[in-house]
Amino acid sequence: MLRFDPTVLALPFFESHHRDLALNVSDWLAGPAGSDIDAITRDADPKVVGRKLTRLLGQADWLRFVVPRAGDSGQPKLDVRSMCLLREAFASYHDLLDFSFSIQGLGCAAAGLYGDVARFNQFLAASASGEMLGSFAISEPEVGSNLAAAALEARLVDGRYVLNGVKTWVSYGNIADVHCVLVRTGEGPGAMGLSLLLVPADTPGLTIAQDIALIAPRAFATLNFSNCEVAADQLVGVPGMGFKYALQILDIYRVTVAAAAIGFCRKALRVAGQWAKSRRIGDEFLFDMQMTKSKLADMAVYLDATSLLVARAAWELDTRQGKDISQRDLSRHISIAKLFGTDGAQQVVDDAVQIMGAYGVVKDAEVENLYRQIRLLRIYEGTSEIQRLIIANNLNFKS
Ligand SMILES: Cc1cc2nc3c(=O)[nH]c(=O)nc-3n(C[C@H](O)[C@H](O)[C@H](O)COP(=O)(O)OP(=O)(O)OC[C@H]3O[C@@H](n4cnc5c(N)ncnc54)[C@H](O)[C@@H]3O)c2cc1C
């Protein structure tokens, strides 16, 4: 079963290797791997599930798509269209499969894109195989949307950084082997004084302060750094550039979040549509009622619109960034995809629950799971409000 809309894949935004990838990942999910994922996700502990799914993704070689590789210019890059296709497929199968894929990518993106390749080669190889897990630790108790205010201090003392402070809401923070941490190194004020540092999880002075339970379970933690010493060569790229690096990584991942939303919604439409076709209300099937058709039609419109917005933004990131598109246009397109894709997904899943009536709110019914899972997407990688600010700030009123 192809887990994509072939008419979208046929568009010139995609190349033949993307179409092959779409077929391959669909086949993979339909084969024995599907049963492995089903077995793994029956475990109630999200930490165990997270570790096993990441390993499975590594063994199947899917994680190489989130580890940056040298592009035509020799500079490391990611193929955002491939990442989007994979997230769409994984999300349509199980949200933790998608989550494991994306968190592993976030954990190693900075090292691969901006770090010293020789220095971080081993970490990147182990990330691609799923043997090592990463996390991207940027939020703090007082710092979420306002990332430039990150306060976790990293003081350079005798060639080592000494870290003091707290990171929170860290996905896979309690199972990662290495954390990519946004720290204040103080090269300049505000955003100009931040850097990214790779911190092995077993570094003395770093403790998991707290596991956090969410409405859609996943491994999630607060990290406490107390006189935690890290070698200076663990710093990624140029000191003081951490904020810029983090925003560039978030730009890429924002588009992929919208792609994941498509995967969730494809599942919602399939489940609700099949239900409507088989559920009798009096003499009719639910599907035959106009208000049901109206909901299903809106879902289909959402899927097409989001697919096109994601394809545009991903294609621009892959082929036009730094060449023939302004950063303002690109940022606006990325945020439009994220905002429309994740806000719209909420309505799609809500409609699917409504079509199923009481059966839709039974604990662990497919759409009940989706209802809880989809809510998270409007918050991480920049909230919907932040996307609106970016869109408005990058509008062009001249044309
Ligand atoms: C599922 C999930 C996974 C996550 N994974 C990670 C992770 O791996 N690593 C990590 O570091 N963090 C992670 N986070 C944290 C996430 O990045 C933050 O929750 C997010 O940036 C928002 O920050 P906040 O929660 O502190 O909300 P706040 O920044 O306090 O915002 C609260 C509300 O105010 C609104 N708001 C903020 N500023 C403005 C403004 N200027 N104008 C209008 N409204 C505004 C926001 O949109 C929001 O609705 C994750 C969160 C979730 C839910």
Side-chain angles (χ1 to χ4, degrees), residues 376-396:
L376 309 182
L377 273 56
R378 288 162 64 199
I379 298 173
Y380 69 90
E381 321 298 9
T383 63
S384 296
E385 289 74 16
I386 296 302
Q387 304 316 312
R388 285 192 172 86
L389 291 180
I390 295 171
I391 294 164
N393 289 338
N394 288 294
L395 284 172
N396 178 0

Side-chain angles (χ1 to χ4, degrees), residues 146-152 154 161 182-196 235-247:
N146 57 333
L147 216 49
L152 192 147
Y161 284 106
L182 186 68
V183 294
R184 183 155 295 284
T185 38
E187 290 73 18
M192 290 184 294
L194 296 172
S195 302
L196 288 170
L235 192 128
V236 175
V238 181
M241 290 288 284
F243 180 74
K244 191 171 175 204
Y245 296 157
L247 288 198

Side-chain angles (χ1 to χ4, degrees), residues 12-68:
F13 286 125
F14 296 100
E15 297 168 31
S16 60
H17 68 91
H18 295 117
R19 296 178 193 105
D20 292 344
L21 179 68
L23 276 176
N24 291 342
V25 70
S26 300
D27 286 349
W28 183 71
L29 289 166
S35 317
D36 293 343
I37 297 161
D38 296 346
I40 291 171
T41 51
R42 272 196 283 277
D43 196 311
D45 183 348
K47 292 197 282 254
V48 175
V49 176
R51 265 196 215 100
K52 287 189 176 170
L53 286 180
T54 307
R55 189 90 183 91
L56 183 81
L57 287 164
Q59 282 164 349
D61 215 17
W62 297 121
L63 293 177
R64 77 187 152 89
F65 288 94
V66 288
V67 177

Side-chain angles (χ1 to χ4, degrees), residues 99 103 136-139 143-145 168-171 214 218 220 376 379-381 383 385-386 389:
F99 198 67
I103 300 307
F136 193 45
I138 55 177
S139 305
V143 176
S145 306
T168 192
W169 314 123
V170 183
S171 304
L214 292 200
R218 57 252 291 111
F220 220 65
L376 309 182
I379 298 173
Y380 69 90
E381 321 298 9
T383 63
E385 289 74 16
I386 296 302
L389 291 180

Side-chain angles (χ1 to χ4, degrees), residues 156-160:
L156 196 54
V157 182
D158 299 333
R160 296 178 75 75

Side-chain angles (χ1 to χ4, degrees), residues 248 251 317 321-322 325-334 394:
Q248 285 173 351
D251 261 359
L317 275 164
Q321 188 176 27
I325 186 167
S326 71
Q327 189 53 46
R328 287 172 67 86
D329 285 346
L330 182 58
S331 296
R332 192 177 69 250
H333 294 168
I334 289 169
N394 288 294

